[in-house]
Amino acid sequence: MMSSWLTTIVFAAVTLLVVIWHVRRTTGDGPSRCPACDSPVAPGAAHCPACDVPQQIFEITTAKRAEPETEAKSTRDTDQLHAIVRADCCVGCGACVPVCPEAGAIRVENKIAIVDSDLCKGHGDCVEACPVGGILLGSGDMVHRVTVPDVQLDFQTRVPGVYIIGELGGRGLIKNAINEGRVAVEFIARELKEEGDCGHSLRVVDVAIVGSGPAGLSAALTAKREGLTSIIFEQGTVSDSIRKYPRHKLLLAEPLGVPLYGELWVADATKETLLSVWEATIADHDLDIRANSRVQDIARHGGLLEVRGDGFVGKARRVILALGRRGTPRRLGVPGEELNKVFYDIVEMEQFAGRRVLVVGGGDSAIESCVGLSNQPGTEVTLSYRRDNFDRAKERNVSKLKSATEAGQIRVLLQSQITQIDPDQVTLDVAGQPCSFPNDDVIIRVGGEPPTRFLESIGVSMVTKEIPIVEAQAGVAD
């Protein structure tokens, strides 16, 4: 009888401890667990103390799904409203500063707008002035909704064997892309080790990677380190995503840990610095990269994944998608478009200060780029659009463009098409007449094919999640 009672007491005690552990883990009371190694991580810790994996890369995978009727709003509507700059949107153009009636309430520091909440009175003029919708009024804890591919903690989608990393997964910073590439392959390496040798031919690789940007290259280098075979399919040239990176410079707050390379420090350096490291590392480790190979379909056949494109088929045990969020930009197909002065997106507008910039396009993105660039000191901005009006753009953007044009900040060339890009000038056809003028940079904003359609075609679903808004702060860096 005594033994029976003792067994019951021990069982109850163990059960209670398990329940307490589970409650603490799921409610956030006490340490959470690192998704990479399942070790305890203190609340707010930047890295796992056991495996040193940055916890920021799991921000979206661990975020809760948004309810259909939920809207991003303040949870304390009675508090004093003040401007909140979204760190994931701000391009540092400074359009918000001169319109604020409270001196010093908003400023641009380290390439991002910073709000002094003690000085801000919530007038909202900066909200209207922001060309990219990166400022809102709020008072308490806020969230914004993001639509991203549905992935699990190990970055695997609901399609078995297909993973998504980098900008496509919702995190655009280079350091996050590199870390996600490394961690995803480490997950894969453990899985493949458990599966053992499946007896596949030499024509089957362990990991097929789509995209040769920072995330894709980091994944390939990690695969090399883990003893896995890999191949990279790139729709453009090698490291094309870095060549067309929408910033002149990179600002990194800490060194990057690049697999098989070590710590890379490129604080406030040009993107060419990072590109030179990539190219040297690719050559040193003999990575198999197939340039100009656009992947059009991924399907499972006989236990393997087939990666298909125009004129090629690759077979792999796992597939990693590192495509980038912007998808395939629509190109103009004109001579000189391959020059490094050509961009298809723009993030860091202050780096174009004092330069002669041509923006091509007539939609909201093109107009927003022009307005932001026109606020940079000494920048000469020209907008080229093939039509005779801006009926595709939002009325508020057209109004801002008109005001900037009347003020002499932007020159608009309607019914024009670019015909030639040279290192120091551009040539356009304007209403049937050739026109050439000096130029330093060309920004092409004419749309493109987003990756969503491709993802859905292979079975990857999109979900909307609620992410706490991270207010822009001084010292924020890529």
Side-chain angles (χ1 to χ4, degrees), residues 148-374:
V148 294
D150 186 11
V151 299
Q152 304 170 69
L153 285 177
D154 60 356
F155 304 105
Q156 185 171 194
T157 69
R158 302 299 172 178
V159 180
V162 177
Y163 296 70
I164 289 179
I165 58 174
E167 187 186 52
L168 180 59
R171 300 292 306 180
L173 300 183
I174 286 181
K175 63 181 180 182
N176 285 330
I178 291 175
N179 287 324
E180 288 179 16
R182 174 175 60 85
V183 173
V185 172
E186 289 173 347
F187 278 122
I188 291 173
R190 289 197 290 267
E191 290 181 355
L192 294 184
K193 184 177 180 179
E194 292 176 0
E195 291 180 8
D197 186 2
C198 297
H200 297 302
S201 70
L202 294 177
R203 290 182 295 177
V204 176
V205 296
D206 293 313
V207 186
I209 302 163
V210 184
S212 67
L217 289 177
S218 176
L221 291 169
T222 305
K224 190 89 171 182
R225 188 194 67 193
E226 296 291 330
L228 304 178
T229 57
S230 69
I231 183 173
I232 297 179
F233 296 103
E234 166 58 51
Q235 69 174 358
T237 60
V238 174
S239 303
D240 193 48
S241 62
I242 297 178
R243 294 181 191 276
K244 300 305 180 185
Y245 188 63
R247 297 186 181 188
H248 277 297
K249 289 190 174 184
L250 309 172
L251 179 61
L252 302 173
E254 58 187 13
L256 295 175
V258 180
L260 296 183
Y261 177 86
E263 289 195 341
L264 168 65
W265 180 260
V266 288
D268 205 20
T270 64
K271 62 186 180 182
E272 284 74 22
T273 303
L274 182 59
L275 181 57
S276 65
V277 171
W278 283 147
E279 291 175 337
T281 305
I282 289 170
D284 290 343
H285 297 286
D286 195 26
L287 299 183
D288 187 356
I289 302 180
R290 309 295 173 86
N292 301 308
S293 300
R294 183 181 179 185
V295 173
Q296 299 170 331
D297 184 43
I298 298 172
R300 182 168 290 279
H301 292 284
L304 296 174
L305 291 163
E306 284 191 355
V307 181
R308 294 180 173 272
D310 188 11
F312 68 89
V313 177
K315 294 183 179 182
R317 300 171 70 183
R318 298 290 189 274
V319 172
I320 293 179
L321 301 179
L323 302 172
R325 189 166 47 197
R326 288 180 290 272
T328 305
R330 185 175 296 118
R331 300 178 182 254
L332 301 179
V334 299
E337 192 171 2
E338 74 284 353
L339 294 174
N340 286 336
K341 65 184 283 187
V342 178
F343 300 84
Y344 296 91
D345 199 356
I346 180 172
V347 172
E348 201 170 71
M349 294 193 182
E350 71 169 14
Q351 290 300 326
F352 293 87
R355 299 178 69 83
R356 300 163 297 188
V357 184
L358 172 68
V359 179
V360 181
D364 288 312
S365 61
I367 294 177
E368 289 167 355
S369 295
C370 282
V371 173
L373 288 165
S374 69

Side-chain angles (χ1 to χ4, degrees), residues 85 93-100 106-108 113 125-127 129-131 135:
V85 178
C93 67
C96 53
V97 176
V99 301
C100 179
I106 190 167
R107 67 188 188 280
V108 174
D125 294 346
C126 57
V127 176
C130 180
I135 306 178

Side-chain angles (χ1 to χ4, degrees), residues 45-63:
H47 294 76
C48 171
C51 66
D52 200 39
V53 169
Q55 298 302 287
Q56 186 183 39
I57 68 174
F58 303 110
E59 178 187 53
I60 290 180
T61 59
T62 58

